[in-house]
Amino acid sequence: MISNHKRRRTANQIVSSNRRVLKMITNTKATIYRMLLLVVALLTSTAVAQTLTVAHSVFPATLNPLMTTVAAEESVALAIIEKLVVFEPEAMQPVPWLLESWAFKSDTELLLTLRDGISFSNGEPVDAAAVRFSLETWRRQPVMAHSIVGLEDAAFEIVDDLNLLIRTSRPVVNLINTLARYGYVVPPAYYSEVGDDGFARAPIGSGPYVLASQDAGSRVVLERNPGYWRGEPGFQQVVFRAMSDDFSRAAAIEAGEADIAYLLSDTSLARLRNTPGVTVHSIQGLRKFIAAFNANMPGGEPLQDPRVRQALNHAVDVQTIVDIVFDGEATALGGAFATSGEFGYSKVAAFEYDTEQAKKLLAEAGYPNGFPITLAYTAGRYPKDQEVGEILSSYLSAVGLTVTQRPLEWGQFAAERSAKTLGQIYAFGLLFPPDLGETFKYMAFATDAPMIDWPDEWLQLYSQSETAVVPEDRAQLYGEMLEINRQNPFGIYLFSPNDAYATRSTVTGFQPRQDQVLLLYDVRPSN
Amino acid sequence: MVSAIPTLVIVLAGVFILIRLTGDPARLYLGDFATDEAVSSLRSEWGLDRPMRVQFVDYLLSALRGDLGISLKFRRPVLSVIAERFGASLELALASMVIAVSVAVPLGALAALNRGKLLDRILGLAVVLGQAIPRFFLGILLIIIFGLTLYWLPTGGSGTLRHLILPAFTLATPTIALLARITRSSVLDVINQDYVRTAKGKGLKGRRILIKHVLRNALVAPLTVATVQFSQLIGGAVIVETVFSWPGLGLLAIESVYSRDFTLMQGIVLVFTILVILINVLVDWTYSIIDPRIRLSD
C-alpha cells in the first residue's frame, strides 16, 4: 500500500517534473522564439544593409522639380519623378527616358511618343495628358521664365494616349535639350488635388523610388518602388543626408557613413584618393568662368579694340591657375568660352600665355603703357573666386594695366551686373545648359550680359542658328561663331572647374554627370 | 520687459534694411538667366516695389499678429519652418550646457583647491586653449580624431545620442573654459570667508566643507553666467551646426543667407532676438531671487 503522503509526494514529484518539462519546453519555445527574432533581426539588418546613403549638399526646400533649377534638389526629386528625356552622362546627348521616341514633323512641330504601360506610383497612367499637364505646369512657374523662351505660346496637342504634338510659333532649336533639362512628368489628378506646394512636400512620380519620410533639415528617405517599369531598383531604401559643408560630406564617405558623396571640393580629393574602398570621380563640369568685358561703359574704351581683348587673354596663364589654385581639378577653356560637354563645341586654338605678345598687341592698339581698369569679382560665391580675382589682377598688372580690384559679395555683384556698374572687367561663373546656343544667347542678349559690340558676321550666324533645326547645321554655325569669338573675345576665357564625387566600394554603377544631377536607378549594391 | 520692445524694433529695422542692401531678392531668387519681366513681376508679387518704410510697417504689423511671412525658399510660413528646426537647436544647446556645467565646475574647483600648483597651471592652460580655439577648427579636429581615426562617433548628422556628443562638446568648449575660470575665482573668494574658517574650526571634514559651504556659495556666479551663455549657445551654433550637419536654427540661418530667403532671415533674427531678451529678463529675475538686495526695479 502506498500511503497518501507518499502518493502526494509522488504526485508532487510528477507535477514538479512536469513543471520542469514544461519549463524546458517553455524555455525551448523561448529559445526558438529568440532564434526566430534573431533571424528576423538578421533579415532586417540585411534589408537595412540595402540602404544607399548619399552625403548630399542640401536639404531640398522643394521636391517639386517643376519649381526648382537647383541640380542638388533635382537629384532627390529625380529618384521619384522622371523626365521625358535625359542627358546621357558622358557626351551629354539627349536620350529618350519616358519617351519611346521623338520626331520633328516640321520646323515648328515636334511629336513626342511615350513608352506604353508606364504608371505613376499612385496608379495614374503616364500618358499624353500627363505630359501636357506637366509642360503647362512647368511653363507657368516664375522661376522657369528663362527656360520657356520660344514656348510661351506653344500648343501642346494630345494626338492619342501615347502621342503629344508640341506646336510652336517659330522654330525652337534647343527644344529637345530643354525637355532633357526640365521635362519632368507628374501625375495630373494628384498634382491638381495637392497643388504646387503640396506636391513639393509629398511628390509622386513614376521613378524607381517613392518618398518615405523627411526629417526637416536632416534627411530625406526614399523607398523602393516595387512596380517600377524598368525593373527592381537596386536598393530597398535611399537616404539623402543633408550635409552643406564640403568637409562633412568628405568625412562621411571616408568614415563609411555614406556610399556616395555629392560634389566635393578639390581640397578633399587627395585624402579621399588615398582612402581604401573609396573611388573619386572627377569630371569636367558645365560651369564656366570668364572675366567679361564691359567695353561700352566709361573707362572701357580700350576694350573696344579686339587686339586689346586678345592681349588680355594672352596675359593670363589660366593653366597655372588650374594647376596651382585648383590642384589640377579644372580645365582651362583655351580659346573659347565653351566646354567639350556642350552641344556645338569644336576645338578652337587656345590663347598661349605670352606676356610679350600681350604687350605687343597693347602697343599696336595704342596702349604701350597700359590703361586703368576696374576688375570686379565675386567673393565667396564660388570656391576660390577671391583668390582667382587677385591672381587675375596680378597678371593684368604685369602687362601694364593699372588695376583697381572690387571683390564683391554675390548680392551686390548681381545687382551691379544688372545695373552695368561693376567695372570694365568682371569675373564670375555660370552654369549653362549643355548647349552653346544658351551661352551665346545669354552673352549677347541678356540684360546683364557683357557690354561689347558683337561683330555683324557673328550676329548673322546667330540669327541663322535660331532657325537651324537640324543639329549638324547648328553645330556648324556654332563652330564658326566660336572662331569669331576667338578673334573678338568677349572676355578672358578662364576655366571650367571639375565636378567631383566619391563612392564607396559598396556600390557600383554610379556615373557622374555634367549636369550635376544624380540618376540613381543604375546604382546597385556591389555584391 | 516693455523696455525690450524698442530693442526688438531697432534690431528688426536693421536686419530689414541690411538684407535689402545686399541685392534685389527677386533677381537673386530667379537666378542668372531671369528676364527683366519675370523679375519685375515677382517684385510686384512680393510687394518689393512699394516704399521700404511701407514694407517695414507692414512687416511689423504682421509680425505682431504672429505672421512672419512665407519663406521664399520653402514656400511655407516662416514660423513653421523655424519651429521644425528649433527643437534641434534647443537639444544641442541644452546638451552643451549640461556638458559645460558638469565639466567646468569640478575643473574650476579643482584648480582653486590646487592654487599655484602644477594642476592649476595645467588647467589654466587648458582654459586659455579652450577659449582661444575656434569652434570650426575644434569641430573638424574632433571629427578627424573620433570619426575618421578611431571610428568611435559619427562624423555628422543627427538622430541618436552618439550624433549629439561631438557637436555638443564642440559648442560647449568655450563655455567650459569661461565657467571653469569663473568657478575657480569664485571658489577662491569663498574659501577665505569667515564661515568656511568657522566650519573648519568646528572640525568638519574637507569634503563636507567643500560641498556644503564652499561650492554652494561659489556656484552662484558661474550658474548666472551659464544662464546668460545659454542664449549664445543657441545663437552661436551656426558654425557648429554647419560643420556637423546638425539640422538646427544655425544651419537654417546659413541656408537662408545663401538662398537669399530674406523673410526667413528676418524671422530667424527675430526669434534669436526674442530669445536673448527673454533669457536676459530671466537672468535679472533669478538675480533678484538669489540676492534679495537686488530688485527688478533697480
Side-chain angles (χ1 to χ4, degrees):
Chain A
M1 281 286 290
I2 302 170
S3 70
N4 282 344
H5 173 72
K6 219 172 183 181
R7 206 178 288 136
R8 265 203 306 275
R9 207 169 63 184
T10 313
N12 280 343
Q13 279 171 348
I14 292 167
V15 169
S16 163
S17 161
N18 281 350
R19 275 190 187 143
R20 276 203 300 275
V21 172
L22 249 163
K23 203 172 174 184
M24 273 176 64
I25 291 170
T26 315
N27 282 346
T28 314
K29 268 186 181 171
T31 310
I32 292 169
Y33 182 63
R34 280 194 205 109
M35 284 177 74
L36 276 171
L37 276 179
L38 189 69
V39 171
V40 170
L42 280 172
L43 286 174
T44 319
S45 71
T46 309
V48 171
Q50 287 188 356
T51 296
L52 174 73
T53 304
V54 181
H56 206 44
S57 59
V58 299
F59 177 78
T62 176
L63 287 176
N64 186 344
L66 301 177
M67 293 167 61
T68 182
T69 56
V70 178
E73 291 185 334
E74 281 186 68
S75 293
V76 184
L78 191 56
I80 306 168
I81 305 145
E82 296 182 290
K83 295 182 188 185
L84 294 165
V85 181
V86 298
F87 290 113
E88 58 97 5
E90 279 160 17
M92 292 302 287
Q93 290 302 308
V95 290
W97 191 261
L98 286 174
L99 287 186
E100 180 75 48
S101 63
W102 66 77
F104 280 97
K105 296 294 172 189
S106 72
D107 284 359
T108 55
E109 290 175 314
L110 173 67
L111 181 69
L112 305 178
T113 303
L114 285 160
R115 293 175 197 268
D116 196 6
I118 304 177
S119 303
F120 295 103
S121 60
N122 67 345
E124 286 184 59
V126 178
D127 57 12
V131 176
R132 182 170 74 175
F133 176 85
S134 304
L135 293 175
E136 284 172 346
T137 306
W138 161 66
R139 188 165 59 175
R140 67 173 165 76
Q141 302 296 334
V143 76
M144 296 297 179
H146 68 279
S147 65
I148 60 160
V149 178
L151 293 170
E152 297 91 339
D153 56 352
F156 305 124
E157 296 169 8
I158 296 174
V159 178
D160 56 39
D161 280 356
L162 296 180
N163 288 284
L164 181 110
L165 188 73
I166 299 179
R167 198 190 300 275
T168 55
S169 57
R170 60 181 172 83
V172 180
V173 292
N174 60 349
L175 189 48
I176 294 298
N177 282 351
T178 301
L179 292 179
R181 177 77 182 80
Y182 303 105
Y184 289 94
V185 185
V186 296
Y190 174 73
Y191 197 104
S192 305
E193 185 191 326
V194 297
D196 287 336
D197 296 332
F199 193 82
R201 286 191 285 280
I204 284 178
S206 59
Y209 296 94
V210 294
L211 179 67
S213 64
Q214 294 188 67
D215 191 358
S218 176
R219 75 195 71 200
V220 177
V221 181
L222 312 181
E223 274 171 8
R224 185 190 301 216
N225 175 3
Y228 184 54
W229 61 279
R230 279 180 177 255
E232 283 266 285
F235 294 87
Q236 186 66 36
Q237 200 177 56
V238 177
V239 179
F240 285 91
R241 282 178 57 188
M243 310 182 105
S244 59
D245 186 52
D246 166 72
F247 171 80
S248 305
R249 295 196 294 280
I253 195 107
E254 190 179 341
E257 296 166 16
D259 303 297
I260 298 174
Y262 183 78
L263 286 185
L264 299 162
S265 78
D266 56 282
T267 47
S268 309
L269 300 185
R271 185 178 166 106
L272 287 178
R273 283 198 169 103
N274 291 323
T275 305
V278 172
T279 306
V280 171
H281 311 260
S282 181
I283 57 162
Q284 185 179 358
L286 285 175
R287 190 177 290 281
K288 300 179 283 192
F289 283 79
I290 186 169
F293 298 140
N294 269 338
N296 294 343
M297 73 178 286
E301 294 78 11
L303 296 169
Q304 289 169 1
D305 190 323
R307 288 172 296 186
V308 172
R309 293 188 238 150
Q310 288 175 19
L312 300 192
N313 272 284
H314 283 296
V316 178
D317 186 357
V318 180
Q319 191 56 50
T320 297
I321 294 176
V322 165
D323 292 340
I324 305 297
V325 180
F326 291 93
D327 206 14
E329 300 289 343
T331 305
L333 292 179
F337 189 49
T339 67
S340 58
E342 291 175 289
F343 171 80
Y345 172 81
S346 59
K347 204 162 172 56
V348 175
F351 288 104
E352 295 292 325
Y353 171 56
D354 186 342
T355 50
E356 290 311 312
Q357 174 70 1
K359 286 177 184 168
K360 186 169 159 251
L361 285 166
L362 284 172
E364 280 174 19
Y367 303 100
N369 301 316
F371 51 89
I373 205 97
T374 298
L375 168 68
Y377 49 86
T378 57
R381 166 74 170 172
Y382 315 103
K384 302 177 179 173
D385 51 1
Q386 197 155 351
E387 290 98 314
V388 170
E390 286 163 8
I391 292 169
L392 275 178
S393 171
S394 308
Y395 278 127
L396 296 180
S397 301
V399 293
L401 271 64
T402 309
V403 182
T404 305
Q405 295 184 54
R406 289 193 73 206
L408 294 169
E409 196 275 336
W410 173 240
Q412 196 182 350
F413 186 93
E416 290 204 30
R417 188 178 60 180
S418 300
K420 312 279 187 194
T421 57
L422 272 178
Q424 293 81 19
I425 304 180
Y426 59 104
F428 68 114
L430 280 166
L431 182 65
F432 287 99
D435 185 318
L436 266 182
E438 300 288 339
T439 301
F440 292 143
K441 185 168 67 184
Y442 176 84
M443 283 296 167
F445 305 109
T447 46
D448 45 8
M451 296 160 69
I452 64 158
D453 293 326
W454 291 79
D456 290 341
E457 189 190 353
W458 189 94
L459 291 171
Q460 281 166 12
L461 290 169
Y462 181 79
S463 181
Q464 287 174 39
S465 76
E466 280 196 299
T467 54
V469 177
V470 179
E472 290 74 19
D473 295 348
R474 199 153 57 94
Q476 171 74 31
L477 293 167
Y478 288 168
E480 290 173 36
M481 291 161 79
L482 286 178
E483 284 295 344
I484 295 173
N485 291 150
R486 168 69 173 71
Q487 300 307 316
N488 291 271
F490 48 88
I492 304 170
Y493 306 139
L494 295 174
F495 50 80
S496 167
N498 285 7
D499 291 336
Y501 307 80
T503 53
R504 287 205 73 90
S505 52
T506 46
V507 298
T508 59
F510 172 81
Q511 278 194 292
R513 306 167 60 81
Q514 287 195 318
D515 55 3
Q516 299 184 345
V517 170
L518 297 175
L519 203 58
L520 292 180
Y521 175 69
D522 294 328
V523 180
R524 305 268 154 178
S526 54
N527 51 358
Chain B
M1 191 70 187
V2 176
S3 61
I5 292 173
T7 313
L8 202 61
V9 174
I10 290 168
V11 169
L12 272 183
V15 174
F16 196 87
I17 294 164
L18 285 175
I19 286 173
R20 279 153 182 79
L21 286 180
T22 63
D24 177 1
R27 184 168 286 282
L28 293 165
Y29 177 76
L30 290 177
D32 287 320
F33 307 111
T35 57
D36 282 350
E37 296 75 36
V39 172
S40 58
S41 157
L42 200 62
R43 283 179 60 77
S44 164
E45 189 187 324
W46 288 350
L48 297 172
D49 49 357
R50 297 174 302 159
M52 202 185 283
R53 64 176 183 283
V54 176
Q55 292 180 48
F56 183 62
V57 171
D58 215 25
Y59 178 70
L60 276 186
L61 292 176
S62 302
L64 278 176
R65 292 193 302 270
D67 174 12
L68 300 183
I70 302 291
S71 157
L72 307 180
K73 182 181 175 203
F74 292 92
R75 292 175 63 108
R76 283 188 291 131
V78 164
L79 261 185
S80 85
V81 177
I82 291 176
E84 274 178 357
R85 304 287 191 95
F86 187 73
S89 281
L90 193 65
E91 184 187 352
L92 183 59
L94 281 173
S96 302
M97 189 47 74
V98 169
I99 292 174
V101 172
S102 48
V103 173
V105 170
L107 283 187
L110 209 60
L113 296 175
N114 292 279
R115 186 183 183 185
K117 294 180 186 168
L118 182 65
L119 185 66
D120 183 28
R121 286 184 191 159
I122 291 171
L123 289 175
L125 193 69
V127 162
V128 171
L129 201 65
Q131 280 192 306
I133 194 164
R135 279 174 175 148
F136 78 90
F137 178 73
L138 178 66
I140 289 173
L141 201 66
L142 292 178
I143 289 174
I144 290 172
I145 295 170
F146 293 101
L148 299 178
T149 309
L150 301 170
Y151 297 102
W152 287 354
L153 292 166
T155 58
S158 62
T160 67
L161 196 62
R162 292 178 71 238
H163 287 98
L164 185 59
I165 297 171
L166 289 186
F169 185 77
T170 308
L171 189 59
T173 302
T175 313
I176 293 174
L178 179 67
L179 292 185
R181 216 167 41 131
I182 290 168
T183 307
R184 180 184 178 275
S185 38
S186 195
V187 167
L188 284 176
D189 275 351
V190 171
I191 219 160
N192 295 319
Q193 295 291 324
D194 289 345
Y195 57 84
V196 177
R197 279 207 295 272
T198 308
K200 280 180 191 165
K202 279 161 66 182
L204 290 178
K205 285 188 178 169
R207 185 182 295 174
R208 191 176 162 82
I209 295 172
L210 179 68
I211 294 170
K212 198 168 178 188
H213 295 280
V214 177
L215 277 184
R216 203 166 161 184
N217 290 293
L219 279 184
V220 175
L223 288 183
T224 312
V225 173
T227 321
V228 178
Q229 282 287 305
F230 189 69
S231 61
Q232 290 186 17
L233 285 181
I234 292 188
V238 172
I239 291 167
V240 174
E241 288 185 4
T242 306
V243 170
F244 289 98
S245 309
W246 186 265
L249 280 184
L251 188 57
L252 187 67
I254 290 280
E255 288 169 5
S256 69
V257 170
Y258 280 138
S259 57
R260 304 285 163 176
D261 189 341
F262 66 103
T263 49
L264 187 55
M265 270 190 257
Q266 285 164 190
I268 293 171
V269 172
L270 178 68
V271 168
F272 278 150
T273 311
I274 290 174
L275 215 61
V276 170
I277 289 172
L278 280 180
I279 288 172
N280 284 341
V281 169
L282 192 72
V283 170
D284 289 347
W285 183 67
T286 317
Y287 271 142
S288 71
I289 290 187
I290 292 171
D291 188 344
R293 288 170 300 177
I294 302 169
R295 288 282 171 267
L296 285 178
S297 56
D298 297 342

